[in-house]
Amino acid sequence: MDQGATGTTLTNARLVTPEGTRVGWLRCEGTRITDLGTGEPPQPGGARIDVGGRWVLPGLVDIHIHGGAGAAFTAADPDRIMAVVEFNRSQGVTSVVGGLVSASPEDTLRQVAALAEVADAGEIPGIYLEGPYISASKCGAHEPALLRDPDLAEFDRIVKAGRGHIKMITVAPELPGALDLIRAATAQGVVAAIGHTDADYAQTRAAIDAGATVATHIYNQMRPLRHRDPGPIAAVLNDERVTVELINDGVHVHPGAAQVVFDAAGSDRVALVTDAMDATGLGDGEYTLGKLRVRVRDGQATLVSTGAIASSTIVLPDAIRQAVRNVHGVSVEDATHAASAVPARALGLSGVGSLAPGHRADLLLLDEELTVAAAMHRGSWVRSL
C-alpha cells in the first residue's frame, strides 16, 4: 500500500475521532492528515484504499516505556534505541518517549545524551526519567543502591544533557527536597510525576500544589489506598490537575481496580501506558532491566531476585483491547483516547494523538478483534493490510 504522489484516501473506515466514531473516509497527503468525513469521499488523485470497515485510530502515544524487540533505551546506542521505536511503530505506537530507569549519575548523563541525539533527529518526542529520586521502600524493579534524594544540581546537569528533550521525571514527594525538585522541573518545562512513593495524602497534595501533574503507573509501587490513610492513590484520583498512568495488562492492575480508575478520573485523565521492557515481542526467557535480572514466564515479567512484578511485555494496542474487553464501561473510543490524546496532552506533544486535519498522518488500523491490522507513520505504511 504505497502512498501515491498526491496522497492516500482510506475509505469504508470506522474513524475514532475526538467527536466519536464516524463511518467514512480519511485523506493523507505527505506526512499530514488533510481531511476526513462521513459517507463517500471526494474524488482526488492518489491511492484509494478500502479498509473493509476496520477501526482507524490515531497513532498511539506511549509516555512510559523502556524497551522492546530485545532492545532497551538504557543501551545508549542509537541503533538499539531505534529498534524499540521501529518495533512500536509496526504496532501502531507511533510516538514513544524514551524511558530510563534509575542509574548512576554518569550512566544517566550518558543515556540521556544518546536519547537526545535520537530526539534531535525527530525519531522520538522526548525523554522520560523514572527515578532516581524515588522511594527505596517502593523501588520495584529499580536497583536500591542507585536511588538518591533529589539533587537540583544533578537535575540541572541532566536537563542540559537532554538539550530540551527531557519531558517527564518521576519523583517521590516524601523525599527531602522533592518539592523543590518538582518546582524546578516545572520551571524548566519538565512534567513532574508522582510515583514509586510511600507518600501520604497530604504529602501527595503538596506535590500536586508544587506542580506535579502526572501519577506514575497508579497502584504499582505506591502506598496502598486505605480508608483512614488514603495516600497518593486517592490524592491523584481526586485532583483534576493530575493525569493518571495505568498499566492495563491484566497483571499489574486487576480489571476491577482499573475500572475504579476510569470511573474516578474519567477517560480524559487516564493515560494507558505499557512500562514495557526489552522482552516485549520476544516471548518467555531471562532478560535485564537496568542492572536487574528479569524472568518472563507466560508473558509476565518478574525480578529473578525477589519475584516482584517488573515491567510489562505488552504494546499499547494490547492495553486498548484489555480495557474494552475486561474493564466495565470502557468503550473503544474511551480506550483510544486514553492511549493517544490524553498522554500527548499530558506531555505537551503537539500534532499527534488524534485524527484531525493538520495532525501527523500516524494511524493504527484494528480489526474486529481489536488486533493490529496495519499502521502508518508520517504518511508511510510501516505495516500493510
Side-chain angles (χ1 to χ4, degrees):
M1 296 194 305
D2 292 331
Q3 179 169 315
T6 55
T8 295
T9 302
L10 306 185
T11 65
N12 190 18
R14 279 187 283 182
L15 305 170
V16 182
T17 76
E19 294 75 35
T21 297
R22 58 174 76 174
V23 178
W25 55 273
L26 178 145
R27 181 166 175 77
C28 306
E29 294 182 12
T31 63
R32 298 287 165 179
I33 297 170
T34 56
D35 203 2
L36 68 163
T38 57
E40 285 298 311
Q43 298 293 326
R48 185 182 173 105
I49 301 167
D50 186 327
V51 301
R54 291 178 175 86
W55 297 95
V56 178
L57 282 55
L60 306 185
V61 180
D62 198 342
I63 61 174
H64 187 154
I65 175 173
H66 300 288
F73 292 124
T74 53
D77 178 304
D79 290 339
R80 306 298 286 165
I81 293 168
M82 286 306 302
V84 182
V85 172
E86 289 167 357
F87 167 72
N88 274 272
R89 286 176 185 167
S90 74
Q91 304 299 310
V93 188
T94 50
S95 298
V96 294
V97 176
L100 299 175
V101 295
S102 300
S104 69
E106 297 77 18
D107 283 346
T108 297
L109 291 176
R110 179 176 56 84
Q111 293 163 1
V112 165
L115 284 167
E117 288 185 18
V118 180
D120 282 341
E123 300 289 359
I124 60 173
I127 304 166
Y128 161 54
L129 300 167
E130 189 175 15
Y133 310 133
I134 59 176
S135 169
S137 68
K138 301 293 182 183
C139 63
H142 292 248
E143 173 58 57
L146 297 172
L147 307 183
R148 42 204 184 270
D149 288 340
D151 182 328
L152 293 180
E154 181 187 22
F155 178 68
D156 188 58
R157 290 191 292 272
I158 292 171
V159 170
K160 289 177 179 175
R163 301 196 298 277
H165 296 299
I166 305 293
K167 292 295 183 183
M168 183 165 67
I169 183 170
T170 291
V171 182
E174 72 274 20
L175 296 180
L179 298 187
D180 287 338
L181 193 287
I182 290 169
R183 294 187 189 99
T186 302
Q188 298 200 57
V190 177
V191 171
I194 297 165
H196 284 275
T197 177
D198 197 33
D200 61 23
Y201 188 87
Q203 289 170 322
T204 307
R205 291 281 302 178
I208 298 169
D209 288 339
T213 55
V214 170
T216 300
H217 49 48
I218 192 168
Y219 295 123
N220 295 111
Q221 297 306 322
M222 282 186 173
R223 179 189 290 224
L225 173 65
R226 299 187 178 94
H227 62 293
R228 295 191 191 92
D229 179 19
I233 295 172
V236 299
L237 289 178
N238 288 343
D239 200 307
E240 294 185 354
R241 294 173 290 180
V242 180
T243 298
V244 181
E245 290 184 356
L246 179 67
I247 306 173
N248 195 47
D249 61 352
V251 175
H252 281 76
V253 178
H254 187 280
Q259 183 183 336
V260 170
V261 173
F262 274 98
D263 287 347
S267 63
D268 201 46
R269 285 206 292 125
V270 178
L272 293 177
V273 299
T274 63
D275 195 16
M277 63 174 292
D278 58 352
T280 304
L282 297 184
D284 291 353
E286 287 201 7
Y287 304 88
T288 58
L289 180 63
K291 295 183 180 297
L292 300 179
R293 292 172 60 220
V294 174
R295 179 178 295 115
V296 177
R297 182 175 296 161
D298 297 327
Q300 181 173 330
T302 57
L303 293 182
V304 171
S305 58
T306 66
I309 293 176
S311 294
S312 86
T313 60
I314 63 167
V315 287
L316 266 186
D318 298 328
I320 289 178
R321 187 169 58 255
Q322 168 80 9
V324 175
R325 288 181 175 177
N326 298 318
V327 182
H328 179 72
V330 176
S331 65
V332 171
E333 294 83 358
D334 292 335
T336 298
H337 190 59
S340 54
V342 173
R345 184 190 63 215
L347 265 59
L349 309 181
S350 61
V352 298
S354 63
L355 299 183
H359 277 217
R360 213 163 68 189
D362 292 347
L363 307 176
L364 166 62
L365 277 63
L366 299 179
D367 63 20
E368 285 293 332
E369 299 301 316
L370 301 181
T371 57
V372 177
M376 174 184 284
H377 176 249
R378 294 178 178 167
S380 296
W381 294 102
V382 291
R383 179 169 177 162
S384 298
L385 281 172

